[in-house]
Amino acid sequence: MADDFARMAFPNESPAYRAARNALLDAEIALRRQTEAVAAMRRALPSGGEVPEDYVFERIGADFRPEQVELSELFGDHSTLLLYSYMFGPERDGPCPGCTHLLDCIDGAARHVPQRAALYAVARSPIARLAGWAHARGWNHLQLLSTAGNDYPAHYYGNTAALTPAMRAERGHADGKTWDEPMLNVFRKDGDTIRHVWASELVFAPDDPGQNHRALDFIDPVWGLLDTTPEGRGDTFFPKVDY
């Protein structure tokens, strides 16, 4: 792609502004290319490990009663399944505000993503609690599932149970303490075989100075919009469940 192209200009801008903006545009183009290169690497990953069991979740059925559903059933007509681990375990008085704001956004995306892949959010709370919260929140498209005590969160890092001693020591996590984490996992089904494809492992990577882990910023429009503003994200703002 040629990088020498006619540039835009807005009313009354200064030469200094245009020079700086053109330099930023070049950086944005480079970032776009790097983003696509990373996405291509993600798509080219070899097959991951086969899931160790057909996990049983709970959902609200057609008669508004809880019903069990196996992981293999969640794919529907698709070969790919996305599961987002929602930090809303039974020990919490309320859900994680960070997860909640992201799911506010994903509820809109859930109109469209299921045209290509199955999409659910899962949490450890009972399904009645999750369904009530989704209704109160106005989530009309995103489907929530209860892990219903299965081993999915531990196996796929929806909580910290699977952290090794070395990982705990590196991150300053106490032994024996477990809490939820906002993990996005992708699975692929081929016949009767289900394999893990990708996970947002950046959740557990060391943070850069002055930043949260930002593991799922590339699907989060709230942070993306704020990053376009002169004020940026700020040092004190974090989404809340209510304002």
Side-chain angles (χ1 to χ4, degrees):
M1 179 185 295
D3 290 323
D4 184 14
F5 58 93
R7 305 295 178 113
M8 302 172 72
F10 293 91
N12 300 319
E13 66 182 22
S14 68
Y17 173 88
R18 180 43 45 194
R21 183 62 186 95
N22 285 348
L24 174 58
L25 179 57
D26 290 338
E28 290 170 341
I29 292 170
L31 178 60
R32 182 180 66 188
R33 292 172 180 168
Q34 177 66 12
T35 298
E36 180 50 37
V38 169
M41 291 175 66
R42 190 181 298 119
R43 293 191 297 269
L45 279 171
S47 296
E50 186 174 347
V51 298
E53 61 184 274
D54 201 0
Y55 303 101
V56 177
F57 300 87
E58 283 191 350
R59 65 184 176 189
I60 296 297
D63 60 354
F64 300 102
R65 295 177 181 271
E67 65 178 18
Q68 293 186 335
V69 57
E70 295 179 335
L71 177 72
S72 57
E73 298 177 275
L74 298 178
F75 288 82
D77 295 332
H78 297 294
S79 59
T80 302
L81 167 68
L82 292 81
L83 295 183
Y84 176 80
S85 290
Y86 188 17
M87 297 173 66
F88 192 9
E91 73 283 352
R92 290 177 175 268
D93 294 332
C96 166
C99 287
T100 300
H101 99 268
L102 180 58
L103 293 184
D104 284 341
C105 303
I106 291 178
D107 182 60
R111 288 175 177 259
H112 310 285
V113 173
Q115 304 303 313
R116 297 273 296 167
L119 170 65
Y120 297 87
V122 303
R124 294 186 302 106
S125 281
I127 188 58
R129 187 187 197 202
L130 298 176
W133 173 249
H135 177 74
R137 197 69 186 171
W139 293 339
N140 296 319
H141 309 288
L142 178 65
Q143 298 186 65
L144 270 64
L145 304 173
S146 172
T147 58
N150 69 29
D151 289 327
Y152 173 81
H155 288 170
Y156 289 97
Y157 294 91
N159 61 30
T160 59
L163 294 186
T164 64
M167 293 175 71
R168 288 182 178 273
E170 185 178 64
R171 292 157 180 77
H173 297 341
D175 291 337
K177 296 186 69 175
T178 299
W179 56 87
D180 300 329
E181 288 287 354
M183 200 70 161
L184 177 63
N185 282 286
V186 182
F187 300 89
R188 184 86 172 174
K189 185 179 180 183
D190 184 7
D192 294 331
T193 301
I194 302 173
R195 292 187 178 275
H196 186 247
V197 175
W198 177 87
S200 53
E201 296 181 31
L202 198 59
V203 167
F204 292 99
D207 300 339
D208 287 331
Q211 297 181 357
N212 293 321
H213 50 68
R214 303 192 179 191
L216 291 171
D217 279 18
F218 70 105
I219 63 170
D220 191 328
V222 172
W223 297 128
L225 287 168
L226 290 177
D227 281 346
T228 69
T229 67
E231 299 83 5
R233 306 181 185 201
D235 296 326
T236 60
F237 172 74
F238 193 80
K240 298 179 180 179
V241 171
D242 293 301
Y243 297 97

